Structures are given as C-alpha cells and as structure tokens.
Amino acid sequence: MGTRLDFIQRANGAYIERQYQRYRQDPASVPEEWALFFAGFDLAADPSRAPAHELRAGGAFALVHAYREFGHRIANLDPLGENPERHPLLELEAFGLGDADLDREADGHPFHGHSGGRLRDLIAALRETYCGTLGVEYMDISDPERREWLEQRMERGRNRATLTPEQRRLVLERLLAADAFEQFLHTRFPGQKRFSLEGGATLVPMLGALIEHAAGMGVLQLVIGMPHRGRLNVLANILGKPLESIFSEFESSFAPEDVQGHGDVKYHLGYSSQWDAADGHRVHLDLNFNPSHLEFVNPVVLGSVRARQDSMRDEGRSGGIPVLIHGDAAFSGEGIVAETLALAQLPHYQTGGTLHLILNNQIGFTTSPLEARATRYPTDIARVIEAPVLHVNGDDPEAAVHAIVLALEYRATFHRDVFVDLVC
C-alpha cells in the first residue's frame, strides 16, 4: 500500500476531490487503491471508528496537504506584526478532530520530515515548516516532480537555514554594512532623495548569498534589474561602486566625466563589476540602468541575458542568470510585468528561468496594499506561470538567505521562474 499511497500524494487536489465524490456515491466506481485511501480518510474523519491510540494515514495526509496549501496564510511574515495565528481550514475541526486527539499516534508518512509520533508532534513539524518566518505558495504547480522536489527540500530540514558560523558572520557583516550606508547618507545629506533601503536591509545579505552560491554552481554572469529603492546600497555593497563616486553624485557641483553627460539621476544609474567568490570562482555582475518607469527594465534584462547566453553558446541556459528586483506596488500594478512573464515562457525568448525578488515594503509611494491591489499578495500573478513563491519575513535575515538559495537551486534544477517575496 506504501507505493500506491505515494502515487496518491502526488495527484492533483481537484482530481482527488472528484474521485472522492464518486467514491461517496458508489465505492465500487473508483479503483481499489482510491477506495482504500478514501476509506482511511473517512475513518480518520470519524474518530469513533478508529482505535483510540491511532490516527490513520488518510487523516494525516489531509492535514499535511492542508498545511502545504494554506500554511503561508498564518506564517509570521510581517515585521509589523499583522500576522493571523489561525485559519479555519487548518483547525482540527476541519478534519473531524479535536484536542482529545492530539496525543493519538499519527502516521507521519505523508510528511517528509516526520517519522511518526503523536498528532501534536506532526502539527508542530508542519507549523515549523510552513508557518514560520518563511511561508511558501506552490500548490498551484501541476507538475508533480517540481512539487515533490520542493516538499523534499523544505520538509526534511523544516525550511530552516543551515548556515556555518562563517556564513552567519557574513550575513551580519553585510546587514551592518547596509545599515551603516543608509545612516551615513541620512546624516551627511539630509533631505536629499535617495530611496533608502531602511527596513529592507536584508536585501544585501540575500544578494551576497545568491552570488556566492551561483558562483559555486558555475554561473558566470548575473544581470540585475531593479527599481530605485535600495539601488544606491546595492551599488555600494554588492556591485562595489566606489563610495566617493556615489557620494559625489549628491553634491550640487557634480558633473559626469563623460563630456556629453548621461542626463540621468543617481538612483537610475547602472554599474558592472566582478565578484570574486570565496571558492575562487569569479562572477560578472551587471546592474542595468533603469528609468522612472520602474518595471520597464524587465524585458531589457531578459534580452541581455538571452544574448549573453547565445554568445557563450550556453544551450543549457545556466551560465547567465537574470535577477529582477521589484517593488511590491509596481509589480502588481504595471502591465509590462504580466507581458514579460508570458513572453519569457516562449521557446525563442527563454533564459532558463528568472529569479524574481520582491522588495515588499508594504506601501506604494503613499498607498497601502489594501487600496493598491485586489489580491492578498503582490506576487499572485506568479500563479499564471505556475511559479513557486517564497514569502519571507525581512526581519529574519537567515530565513531570507535560505529562501534565496532555495530559489536559486529550484531555478538551476528546473530552469523556470521562481519568486521570493521579502516582506519588510
């Protein structure tokens, strides 16, 4: 029965529902393995019919499936503290259970990170994996291989970062460097427009970890597109643009070295540099220039990466990676986002997947999310292309680093788009 149950776990949720309705009308109308599965499900839903000490696999599967699908709804994602602690579809009553069942044995087989024990232990493991400072949306993905890969990667390690002491020190150093940069600009150039990264400084250690891990995978080039928010910080602490050059652009006497000038402001500028990774590999970084129409850089970055891949004869599309950093309001509000996402899935435009990072400061210039969009998350357009979304609390830099590395590995494995929503 173990093999058959594994097959059932990878089935589509809507298909399971249809089969279950047929079973309820006539158990003989569905294949034997489905009838056995639904019998166990019904047994778990009515505790009076099960042995007092045991919770059957059907009920455990339903519980695991619910947390995989809805766990992000009660995850600790908002640094401002607006996090619901309960959801009706995750309550014990939704599975025909109650507090008296918490000490019954539960078959944890459906959950990759649980080897058995009490129901309360299974729930604790599920909450740690899907309801911590990292919540994941991936159940809209119809490909069972991609879903299974994500479940294995997230559940075996409870979706937690496994950083060495040296890696944790680097996260702290990059976080402090990002904060110090913003504090200096605020003190030295008060009142000047700079689109601060304050509140979202976790972006810097995230990008540092992304580049280091990409280098270890053999990636040669990263092409980055991003809006104004945090651009100066990224230029300084990731691209390595000289600080004296950045600071001089704040001075009223600043004049570009180019005789013809470039006619642009400091938070539109791009830069290119080389990153020497700890393992000895070198990665070329290119932050594209970006105008005030925030998302217009998206197709420019993808076109640039596609051209570089073709030039390198990179048929696997793994030597160059596009990284698009978005603001939450612009991403959900500008039509070019949907156009670019759709175009990038076509054979002659593919780049092997884009890594999207939403710098979600929960406000669109002066507009709250409630008044800016009709969806719960700014990333809901990702469902159109069946891309996973990793929502992470910006006040947990280690979880954010774990999310960006997981996203990079997903892109490398499946050559498809993936999203990280950094809530700050």
Side-chain angles (χ1 to χ4, degrees):
M1 183 60 190
T3 302
R4 290 176 177 175
L5 186 58
D6 285 344
F7 170 76
I8 290 170
Q9 290 170 33
R10 295 194 296 271
N12 180 272
Y15 178 68
I16 293 177
E17 181 64 24
R18 290 195 299 271
Q19 293 287 82
Y20 183 59
Q21 294 303 324
R22 291 178 58 193
Y23 166 81
R24 293 292 297 272
Q25 295 175 5
D26 178 10
S29 67
V30 299
E32 179 187 5
E33 62 266 30
W34 284 108
L36 290 171
F37 173 77
F38 291 132
F41 183 88
D42 285 345
L43 189 63
D46 184 358
S48 65
R49 297 169 57 190
H53 67 285
E54 186 177 2
L55 179 69
R56 297 292 186 182
F61 170 75
L63 187 69
V64 171
H65 182 86
Y67 269 90
R68 287 169 176 169
E69 185 166 8
F70 302 111
H72 62 92
R73 298 295 294 268
I74 59 171
N76 178 22
L77 302 178
D78 190 352
L80 301 177
E82 299 294 328
N83 297 296
E85 297 181 357
R86 305 171 71 91
H87 191 282
L89 293 176
L90 296 176
E91 297 294 321
L92 289 175
E93 292 77 11
F95 309 98
L97 302 170
D99 291 341
D101 299 299
L102 289 172
D103 289 318
R104 295 170 63 197
E105 293 182 11
D107 183 353
H109 175 73
F111 182 67
H112 298 293
H114 185 73
S115 58
R118 299 173 300 171
L119 175 61
R120 67 170 70 250
D121 299 325
L122 175 60
I123 292 175
L126 287 166
R127 291 184 70 94
E128 185 178 0
T129 302
Y130 291 109
C131 308
T133 50
L134 176 59
V136 186
E137 290 183 281
Y138 70 100
M139 294 301 283
D140 287 321
I141 299 175
S142 59
D143 179 7
E145 181 183 358
R146 288 191 281 147
R147 283 167 56 163
E148 179 77 11
W149 186 93
L150 286 166
E151 289 162 5
Q152 292 273 1
R153 293 300 308 273
M154 294 187 295
E155 294 175 1
R156 291 194 182 280
R158 303 286 173 85
N159 235 354
R160 292 179 300 189
T162 54
L163 303 180
T164 65
E166 174 63 18
Q167 289 172 329
R168 297 184 72 186
R169 185 182 65 81
L170 278 175
V171 169
L172 178 60
E173 285 184 358
R174 288 168 180 155
L175 200 60
L176 292 174
D179 279 335
F181 179 84
E182 298 297 347
Q183 291 172 8
F184 177 83
L185 290 184
H186 177 71
T187 303
R188 179 65 180 82
F189 306 104
Q192 287 218 37
K193 190 179 293 185
R194 58 191 169 95
F195 295 98
S196 168
L197 191 59
E198 289 172 302
T202 299
L203 175 67
V204 171
M206 286 179 75
L207 291 177
L210 167 64
I211 298 167
E212 285 288 334
H213 281 78
M217 293 178 175
V219 175
L220 301 176
Q221 300 194 41
L222 288 176
V223 183
I224 306 170
M226 70 177 298
H228 312 336
R229 182 73 57 195
R231 172 179 286 262
L232 297 180
N233 210 312
V234 170
L235 283 169
N237 290 307
I238 297 297
L239 275 294
K241 184 176 181 178
L243 293 177
E244 56 270 26
S245 175
I246 295 175
F247 298 152
S248 69
E249 292 165 5
F250 282 86
E251 304 291 348
S252 58
S253 59
F254 168 71
E257 293 182 3
D258 188 339
V259 175
Q260 294 182 343
H262 46 52
D264 217 338
V265 291
K266 52 186 171 291
Y267 43 81
H268 288 179
L269 303 180
Y271 197 74
S272 297
S273 64
Q274 303 287 345
W275 178 290
D276 293 314
D279 64 2
H281 289 90
R282 171 170 286 189
V283 181
H284 178 78
L285 305 178
D286 190 353
L287 176 62
N288 280 193
F289 288 74
N290 196 30
S292 285
H293 202 308
L294 302 177
E295 300 290 333
F296 261 38
V297 76
N298 298 355
V300 176
V301 167
L302 297 190
S304 175
V305 171
R306 174 77 186 209
R308 293 163 193 250
Q309 292 171 340
D310 289 347
S311 177
M312 293 187 293
R313 301 186 184 279
D314 179 18
E315 295 181 1
R317 313 244 170 246
S318 57
I321 296 180
V323 179
L324 292 178
I325 303 172
H326 314 271
D328 52 326
F331 185 79
S332 62
E334 294 194 14
I336 197 170
V337 171
E339 293 171 1
T340 305
L341 287 177
L343 194 66
Q345 312 310 310
L346 302 180
H348 294 291
Y349 297 88
Q350 288 176 351
T351 59
T354 300
L355 203 159
H356 301 267
L357 202 163
I358 314 294
L359 189 57
N360 184 354
N361 66 354
Q362 306 191 72
I363 190 166
F365 193 56
T366 60
T367 308
S368 69
L370 185 64
E371 299 169 316
R373 62 175 184 265
T375 58
R376 177 179 180 85
Y377 300 113
T379 53
D380 283 0
I381 188 68
R383 295 181 178 181
V384 174
I385 59 170
E386 296 190 4
V389 181
L390 289 76
H391 304 279
V392 64
N393 190 318
D395 276 4
D396 188 345
E398 291 190 16
V401 166
H402 172 66
I404 201 73
V405 172
L406 179 60
L408 174 65
E409 292 175 349
Y410 175 89
R411 188 267 179 196
T413 303
F414 298 106
H415 302 289
R416 299 182 68 98
D417 289 44
V418 57
F419 293 76
V420 178
D421 175 25
L422 180 67
V423 187
C424 50

